[in-house]
Amino acid sequence: MALEEKREKRPPVTPMMIEEEAALRNGSRGLPPGPWAEAAGPRPRTTERHIAVHKRLVLGFAVSILALLAVTMIAVLLSVRFEECGAAADGPPRAGGNGSLSGAARQPPGAEQPPGQSEEEARGGEAAEEEEEEEEEWQRRRELPPWARPRLPRHLRPLHYNLMLSAFMENFTFSGEVNVQLEVRNASRYIVLHAHRMHIEAVRVAEDKLAGGVRVARTFFYPQTQVFVVVLNRSLEVQRSYNLKIIYNALIENELLGFFRSSYVLHGERRFLGVTQFSPTHARKAFPCFDEPIYKATFKISIRHQATYLSLSNMPVETSVFEEDGWVTDHFSQTPLMSTYYLAWAVCNFTYRETVTKSGVVVRLYARPDAIRRGSGDYALNITRRLIEFYEDYFKVPYSLPKLDLLAVPKHPYAAMENWGLSVFVEQRILLDPSISSILYLLDVTMVIVHELCHQWFGDLVTPVWWEDVWLKEGFAHYFEFVGTDYLYPGWNMEKQRFLTDVLHEVMLLDGLASSHPVSQEVQQASDIDRVFDWIAYKKGAALIRMLANFMGHSVFQMGLQDYLTIHKYGNAARNDLWNTLSKALKRVGKSVNIQEVMDQWTLQMGYPVITILGNETTDNIIVISQERFVYDSDAKPKDPARGDNSYLWQIPLTIAVGNTSHISSEAIIWVSNKSEHHRIPALEEASWLLGNINQTGYFRVNYDIRNWRLLINQLTRNHEVISVSNRAGLIDDAFNLARAGYLPQNIPLEIMRYLSEEKDFLPWHAASRALYPLDKLLDRTENYNIFNEYILRQVASMYLKLGWPTNNLNKSLVQASYQHEELRREVIMLACSFGNKHCHQQAATLISDWISSNRNRIPLNVRDIVYCTGVSLMDEDVWEFIWMKFHSTTAVSEKKILLEALTCSDDRNLLNRLLNLSLNSEVVLDQDAIDVIIHVARNPHGRDLAWKFFREKWKILNARYGEALFMNSKLVSGVTEFLNTEGELRELKNFIKSYEGGAAVSFSRAVETVEANVRWQRLYKEELFQWLRKSLTQ
């Protein structure tokens, strides 16, 4: 029987059970540990012979015997307590160690109670009264007590943590002893630090280098702020250093945060591993700590585990001590100054491969033994070495640690986590089998690794002061995904091209909602932190950084970043630190721009502007440029009612050029800072057109008068190459979104699309495909959908015939020189199959049938996902069952992902319902993949209502599973609701929000606005669009 099956039959392990097990091992027969345990053994019987003594002897010795007994009892008590303290301090902690240092801490409501409950109850009542009295005293002062405040009090600063852990993988528990060296800034008798979901056994406070300790009056948890409070009998003295020692134990949870467990199957046996995920506020679940980014300290970690496992942490192993009972303790080197949420460790049976950078950094990739044996980690390992060398050269700051481990785990809440020296990746974002991985999958793996490695500088080395500026690390890492990939594959033009469709266009959809928020937003308490980790921080942050780099000049920008990292390394920084450093870099080259003044408008205001350029027909060469906030639904209630959209103003670096049928001028930059401005443009002739935001380096949309739009459409039709590929993609995206929001007639974007039959570059096709997608979802359940469908097929048909299908490329190199061509072919095939091209459908069905009949998959790698989805949609239930079987049998993570997504393409509602229900079974679908299943069913017009119904019925389960994990709930809410577009569905959404329980309030507010905008578009613009389409198709 597999280990997991055996464990399912065991009762859950509790702190009480751990204590009892330890007590039995120590021979105390389950009695609470303490001096009376030794007195519980059997005693010899007393006989008459022993008591037949002279009465006078009894009287003579009575007093002295009683005195001797009393002295002996006191000595024994003191001796036992001294020995227990010494054992707790010197020996490695085991589950269920004694609580002799100060007694167990009182647990929060609902938590399991410690041993010796009767004594605790007696003391607990007194402690509760004391706590209430203290809280009343704070209320009289009209202050919150330090443990009730949203941020930790500032009177203490941790300098160093010595953390010793014992991991018990057989029952998924661990015990720990943490010693924290504290510096006292202001006198206080309270020590307040974070601790959550653990059992505190003992606490001791001592002054460094001096004998004796500071007496602990009492301890308690305060669950509302997830803190543990140590109340002392006297105040700690200012500028003194103290040591806080806490012994505790907890569970290795079966979830996705803190110190949690995962598993995999090897040779038919289920194996387990333990791994950490501490960002943003989950280190407190694994050890008591000051769990805020500003509290940087050094860490010395020791991990005790069974010798059949290995342990990893941020630093290399210094020494390993082997015990006779098959256990080993790994002692890791001390870390540099770092924040708690970047600390990490793992206990696993993995194997690894290794490489070394030019500067001597040891890079290892750890994964399942079978994945390492197949070489699935080799690609990631090789590009990691190259990327470390790239970043060291670009930033002129060496990588700061002696090693970097990449850990591939089966279960993880995010794509990856950039723990310093031990980055953790979910398997499908780092393992790659060249024989069955597409270019798209390789690109995904590459960019995740580039992102996480950038964090070793932006995040690990220089950490934002507080979560309001999380974009300072996430925005930079997201921007460098494209810069770093360009270093690896120079011909792919990622930063100049793919950035537009994958970042800029995508985040502007979200930031165009009235319910958006600024990049930098106030964070008061832990519950606010989750909402700052969204695409606004990542993608808008990256887009603003790209805009900044372009108007500063890339070389000056790079120089400024080098200064920023050098000045703030091993410390914390805020946005103003970055602005000041970049302003100084500009001054050094003779430019004077107040970066803070410019960028505060972009980071402290939500949304973005739409620039409108109007030609003044009465005055030669004069144009009118105006700005206003872009919103999709002008009827939506603003997030800040006191501030209307008209009050938004930005300093905009507008680049502009003039063109004609054969030529475009060099760009000029105009800083637009008013609502409306007049500008003179030289060489603006009657047949000339204007183009704004050259290469889409700015974070804004550009609209023109209809005459200029017509001139641009004519230019695209006659000679589109006069306009750069980036601007061709930008025109398509701007036109579709301006029309969707009502700034443009609905026909303009569809007229622009007509030129695509001559477009040979991938990017404009990709922009068109992405822009069409939401429009398609608005129309795919309407009775006239076939009219829209036919129009798109006509635009795609000629390019589909020109490009054809790829040949089977199993024996070719994964990274093909013709990346742009292959991606263009893939994009056109996807559009053709999605909109029903008969030849495309026939080809997909033939390829699937061949696979089923021969049991050999000859489908070209780069279009497998399209073929799988099309085949499942068109063919019978047997094909669905075949794909389902292949999903279970394959061990390649890239293949598993696209097979699972293909199952959501079915037209059979029974199969879709079956898949939805199976998605919540963690043995069938990994936790992190279940959300994708639900979202993909919601994108299927045959399953949208099923997914929406399933979401509402299972909300409590879904919220319990994903509520604490960043992104997951917001991703789920958005994915299930974004294409609801009827009045009835809007009512259902609003009614559900009134009755639901749980978090994600911001996500639901955004969902309501999105659905309201969808309903509004249907009401105002749907018929206008269909009228134009009917007219166009008959011409």
Side-chain angles (χ1 to χ4, degrees):
M1 190 181 293
L3 287 173
E4 185 180 58
E5 292 171 337
K6 290 179 182 176
R7 286 189 178 86
E8 284 176 353
K9 297 180 181 179
R10 294 182 179 180
V13 179
T14 67
M16 177 72 81
M17 290 167 64
I18 298 169
E19 290 280 4
E20 289 173 352
E21 184 182 339
L24 288 170
R25 283 202 302 267
N26 295 331
S28 64
R29 292 177 173 77
L31 289 172
W36 294 108
E38 293 178 4
R43 301 176 182 176
R45 297 180 60 192
T46 304
T47 65
E48 291 182 6
R49 184 169 174 265
H50 291 121
I51 60 172
V53 295
H54 201 277
K55 290 180 181 180
R56 280 179 295 177
L57 287 173
V58 175
L59 292 172
F61 286 104
V63 174
S64 55
I65 289 169
L66 288 170
L68 183 62
L69 283 170
V71 171
T72 303
M73 287 291 292
I74 291 169
V76 168
L77 277 166
L78 291 173
S79 172
V80 169
R81 183 165 293 270
F82 177 78
E83 288 171 5
E84 288 175 351
C85 287
D90 301 330
R94 294 175 179 267
N98 65 69
S100 60
L101 297 186
S102 73
R106 187 158 52 83
Q107 298 290 295
E112 301 186 50
Q113 297 300 323
Q117 186 59 40
S118 57
E119 291 183 41
E120 286 299 316
E121 285 174 352
R123 288 199 302 269
E126 297 172 10
E129 289 178 11
E130 291 174 16
E131 188 180 333
E132 287 175 11
E133 289 173 7
E134 286 192 64
E135 288 192 5
E136 288 173 6
E137 174 60 29
W138 285 100
Q139 287 174 5
R140 281 193 292 273
R141 296 188 202 174
R142 295 186 178 179
E143 288 183 59
L144 280 173
W147 53 86
R149 296 169 193 169
R151 300 276 296 273
L152 291 177
R154 295 289 181 258
H155 60 272
L156 296 175
R157 183 166 74 96
L159 302 176
H160 177 74
Y161 293 80
N162 198 329
L163 178 59
M164 293 173 284
L165 301 164
S166 288
F168 301 93
M169 296 301 294
E170 73 278 5
N171 63 3
F172 305 124
T173 64
F174 71 102
S175 62
E177 177 186 311
V178 62
N179 289 272
V180 191
Q181 184 186 352
L182 300 172
E183 179 186 79
V184 181
R185 292 177 168 179
N186 295 298
S188 176
R189 56 188 287 259
Y190 303 106
I191 298 175
V192 182
L193 73 166
H194 291 107
H196 187 46
R197 290 167 67 167
M198 63 179 61
H199 170 58
I200 304 287
E201 297 180 9
V203 180
R204 180 182 177 184
V205 180
E207 190 166 356
D208 278 5
K209 300 177 183 177
L210 294 175
V214 180
R215 189 175 168 194
V216 176
R218 64 190 179 88
T219 61
F220 62 92
F221 283 92
Y222 191 74
Q224 293 92 322
T225 51
Q226 298 182 354
V227 296
F228 178 67
V229 184
V230 180
V231 185
L232 304 171
N233 269 14
R234 65 173 177 84
S235 290
L236 301 177
E237 297 178 37
V238 178
Q239 295 184 341
R240 289 283 182 90
S241 183
Y242 293 84
N243 183 269
L244 169 66
K245 176 177 182 175
I246 300 177
I247 297 174
Y248 66 99
N249 59 62
L251 300 176
I252 302 173
E253 300 280 5
N254 185 24
E255 53 173 43
L256 296 168
L257 301 166
F259 185 19
F260 67 93
R261 65 184 185 263
S262 182
S263 67
Y264 61 98
V265 175
L266 186 66
H267 306 311
E269 176 191 7
R270 185 164 291 280
R271 296 188 177 188
F272 289 88
L273 62 141
V275 66
T276 58
Q277 170 57 40
F278 290 162
S279 177
T281 57
H282 304 289
R284 64 194 65 177
K285 293 178 180 176
F287 67 108
C289 57
F290 293 77
D291 200 12
E292 292 180 5
I294 195 68
Y295 289 114
K296 285 198 166 187
T298 54
F299 294 81
K300 191 82 169 60
I301 309 290
S302 298
I303 301 178
R304 182 175 177 270
H305 56 86
Q306 291 162 301
T308 51
Y309 289 86
L310 61 85
S311 68
L312 303 170
S313 189
N314 305 76
M315 298 296 287
V317 173
E318 215 169 44
T319 58
S320 293
V321 179
F322 291 85
E323 303 173 17
E324 291 183 359
D325 59 355
W327 286 72
V328 60
T329 302
D330 293 323
H331 300 280
F332 294 88
S333 300
Q334 182 171 304
T335 71
L337 285 170
M338 61 184 291
S339 300
T340 50
Y341 73 94
Y342 282 133
L343 198 68
W345 62 78
V347 178
C348 60
N349 315 92
F350 285 175
T351 53
Y352 68 88
R353 287 196 182 173
E354 177 182 296
T355 188
V356 182
T357 69
K358 291 175 184 175
S359 58
V361 178
V362 177
V363 183
R364 289 178 175 176
L365 188 141
Y366 287 84
R368 292 178 282 112
D370 55 326
I372 292 293
R373 191 167 53 251
R374 286 199 308 267
S376 299
D378 292 355
Y379 174 77
L381 188 65
N382 291 330
I383 67 166
T384 297
R385 174 181 50 78
R386 293 178 60 198
L387 286 165
I388 290 175
E389 293 165 358
F390 163 71
Y391 282 129
E392 287 183 325
D393 179 63
Y394 188 98
F395 296 137
K396 302 303 181 195
V397 176
Y399 176 74
S400 306
L401 304 183
K403 64 93 175 176
L404 174 60
D405 294 334
L406 312 176
L407 179 65
V409 298
K411 183 174 79 170
H412 198 263
Y414 315 120
M417 178 63 206
E418 68 272 12
N419 309 307
W420 210 357
L422 177 57
S423 291
V424 181
F425 297 75
V426 70
E427 287 180 336
Q428 62 188 224
R429 297 306 180 93
I430 193 169
L431 300 182
L432 182 147
D433 186 339
S435 66
I436 52 173
S437 296
S438 65
I439 295 176
L440 194 65
Y441 185 79
L442 174 136
L443 183 62
D444 193 30
V445 167
T446 302
M447 296 185 78
V448 170
I449 294 169
V450 177
H451 180 109
E452 301 310 323
L453 290 184
C454 181
H455 274 313
Q456 303 295 310
W457 284 264
F458 282 92
D460 296 359
L461 184 64
V462 179
T463 310
V465 170
W466 184 236
W467 300 107
E468 65 191 7
D469 281 332
V470 72
W471 72 271
L472 274 180
K473 68 186 189 75
E474 297 301 347
F476 272 102
H478 207 58
Y479 172 67
F480 273 96
E481 283 182 31
F482 297 83
V483 177
T485 304
D486 274 340
Y487 166 75
L488 296 171
Y489 303 107
W492 289 14
N493 293 319
M494 297 297 293
E495 190 269 339
K496 287 184 170 59
Q497 294 189 15
R498 193 74 183 245
F499 185 96
L500 303 183
T501 51
D502 293 11
V503 178
L504 183 66
H505 298 171
E506 186 169 333
V507 74
M508 290 176 102
L509 289 168
L510 183 62
D511 206 22
L513 299 175
S515 56
S516 185
H517 62 79
V519 168
S520 293
Q521 55 177 327
E522 192 173 18
V523 174
Q524 292 285 355
Q525 53 201 7
S527 59
D528 295 333
I529 294 170
D530 289 358
R531 63 183 169 83
V532 304
F533 281 87
D534 64 2
W535 285 142
I536 298 294
Y538 283 67
K539 292 181 182 284
K540 182 176 180 178
L544 295 181
I545 289 163
R546 179 173 176 266
M547 179 172 73
L548 182 59
N550 275 279
F551 78 68
M552 283 183 68
H554 284 274
S555 59
V556 181
F557 176 72
Q558 181 180 353
M559 183 171 62
L561 294 189
Q562 291 168 358
D563 294 344
Y564 171 78
L565 290 170
T566 301
I567 293 166
H568 299 288
K569 62 184 177 183
Y570 303 111
N572 299 82
R575 60 182 177 274
N576 286 348
D577 296 315
L578 177 65
W579 304 150
N580 292 337
T581 307
L582 294 179
S583 292
K584 289 175 183 176
L586 277 172
K587 279 186 180 177
R588 290 213 299 272
V589 296
K591 296 180 181 178
S592 181
V593 178
N594 187 329
I595 298 292
Q596 180 178 343
E597 184 181 316
V598 174
M599 295 308 295
D600 275 356
Q601 292 181 325
W602 293 95
T603 59
L604 302 180
Q605 292 185 125
M606 72 176 79
Y608 57 88
V610 52
I611 285 277
T612 302
I613 302 174
L614 301 176
N616 190 326
E617 296 182 1
T618 59
T619 308
D620 289 343
N621 298 340
I622 298 294
I623 60 170
V624 180
I625 303 175
S626 61
Q627 63 164 298
E628 62 179 298
R629 184 187 173 196
F630 177 93
V631 286
Y632 283 102
D633 186 354
S634 57
D635 296 334
K637 294 178 182 177
K639 195 171 183 179
D640 182 1
R643 183 180 185 185
D645 289 337
N646 289 330
S647 65
Y648 284 84
L649 203 62
W650 290 267
Q651 290 191 50
I652 304 168
L654 173 65
T655 48
I656 196 165
V658 179
N660 56 38
T661 54
S662 60
H663 174 74
I664 187 169
S665 70
S666 57
E667 65 184 70
I669 185 167
I670 299 171
W671 281 91
V672 181
S673 54
N674 299 304
K675 280 288 178 189
S676 182
E677 301 179 0
H678 289 72
H679 290 273
R680 181 177 297 277
I681 303 295
L684 187 59
E685 300 171 358
E686 187 172 339
S688 300
W689 39 260
L690 286 164
L691 186 65
N693 196 13
I694 305 304
N695 295 321
Q696 281 211 299
T697 56
Y699 186 70
F700 48 88
R701 298 196 185 281
V702 182
N703 195 9
Y704 309 93
D705 54 52
I706 292 296
R707 176 179 171 276
N708 200 75
W709 277 112
R710 291 287 176 203
L711 289 168
L712 288 168
I713 291 170
N714 288 338
Q715 182 65 56
L716 290 171
T717 304
R718 291 180 180 183
N719 183 6
H720 61 267
E721 291 183 352
V722 170
I723 299 172
S724 73
V725 64
S726 299
N727 274 119
R728 299 199 301 266
L731 284 169
I732 291 168
D733 185 72
D734 275 350
F736 270 98
N737 285 281
L738 289 166
R740 184 178 170 190
Y743 293 88
L744 263 184
Q746 300 301 306
N747 59 295
I748 294 293
L750 294 172
E751 287 188 44
I752 289 176
M753 267 195 70
R754 286 173 168 165
Y755 100 92
L756 285 174
S757 59
E758 301 300 321
E759 178 62 79
K760 297 181 179 67
D761 279 292
F762 160 69
L763 190 71
W765 275 100
H766 193 47
S769 178
R770 281 177 170 260
L772 281 170
Y773 189 74
L775 182 59
D776 178 62
K777 296 305 170 190
L778 283 171
L779 299 172
D780 64 6
R781 293 181 296 171
T782 60
E783 59 180 324
N784 292 318
Y785 176 69
N786 64 306
I787 301 174
F788 173 73
N789 194 79
E790 186 180 346
Y791 181 83
I792 302 303
L793 279 178
R794 285 191 185 183
Q795 313 314 311
V796 174
S798 62
M799 187 57 70
Y800 173 75
L801 288 173
K802 285 178 190 175
L803 294 172
W805 279 68
T807 56
N808 189 300
N809 52 4
L810 289 178
N811 298 319
K812 292 186 180 179
S813 169
L814 178 67
V815 185
Q816 300 167 46
S818 55
Y819 158 77
Q820 296 279 357
H821 180 75
E822 287 305 314
E823 284 297 271
L824 171 60
R825 191 207 310 261
R826 171 191 158 76
E827 199 74 52
V828 171
I829 289 172
M830 184 174 67
L831 285 168
C833 276
S834 297
F835 285 95
N837 179 285
K838 291 180 180 178
H839 180 272
C840 195
H841 281 184
Q842 184 181 0
Q843 183 73 5
T846 301
L847 288 167
I848 287 278
S849 298
D850 174 67
W851 183 19
I852 293 172
S853 61
S854 68
N855 202 27
R856 185 180 174 196
N857 192 342
R858 287 185 275 257
I859 302 169
L861 298 176
N862 219 35
V863 293
R864 279 191 177 180
D865 56 336
I866 302 169
V867 172
Y868 293 172
C869 180
T870 305
V872 166
S873 172
L874 294 175
M875 302 167 81
D876 58 23
E877 186 175 341
D878 289 343
V879 173
W880 195 95
E881 295 291 355
F882 176 79
I883 297 291
W884 177 249
M885 177 193 69
K886 290 296 182 183
F887 165 71
H888 282 287
S889 62
T890 186
T891 56
V893 290
S894 60
E895 188 75 354
K896 217 171 185 66
K897 180 178 184 290
I898 61 173
L899 286 165
L900 182 60
E901 290 178 359
L903 293 167
T904 68
C905 298
S906 176
D907 291 357
D908 188 325
R909 291 169 62 85
N910 291 327
L911 291 175
L912 293 175
N913 256 330
R914 176 181 162 193
L915 185 62
L916 286 169
N917 288 311
L918 285 167
S919 70
L920 292 185
N921 183 340
S922 298
E923 296 299 309
V924 177
V925 177
L926 291 172
D927 288 353
Q928 69 262 18
D929 293 336
I931 285 179
D932 290 328
V933 169
I934 300 167
I935 290 173
H936 278 82
V937 172
R939 289 173 179 172
N940 182 340
H942 300 282
R944 192 165 305 150
D945 62 317
L946 299 178
W948 172 224
K949 183 172 182 284
F950 180 81
F951 170 85
R952 285 174 289 159
E953 290 175 350
K954 305 297 183 184
W955 168 249
K956 287 186 179 179
I957 296 171
L958 294 165
N959 190 49
R961 182 188 282 191
Y962 303 116
E964 282 192 285
L966 302 175
F967 276 127
M968 287 200 162
N969 255 1
S970 60
K971 178 183 175 183
L972 179 61
V973 172
S974 171
V976 170
T977 61
E978 65 181 329
F979 298 125
L980 302 178
N981 54 39
T982 67
E983 293 281 2
E985 288 168 338
L986 179 59
R987 280 194 302 273
E988 288 174 347
L989 175 60
K990 289 180 175 179
N991 289 336
F992 174 72
I993 292 170
K994 288 177 185 176
S995 62
Y996 86 104
E997 296 175 5
V1002 173
S1003 300
F1004 279 117
S1005 172
R1006 191 178 295 152
V1008 168
E1009 185 187 347
T1010 300
V1011 178
E1012 285 177 339
N1014 291 346
V1015 171
R1016 177 176 178 267
W1017 185 91
Q1018 294 267 2
R1019 186 178 70 251
L1020 296 179
Y1021 304 119
K1022 183 180 70 174
E1023 279 310 309
E1024 177 191 334
L1025 177 70
F1026 279 132
Q1027 283 177 16
W1028 184 88
L1029 286 170
R1030 288 189 194 98
K1031 183 179 178 182
S1032 176
L1033 289 171
T1034 56
Q1035 289 177 350

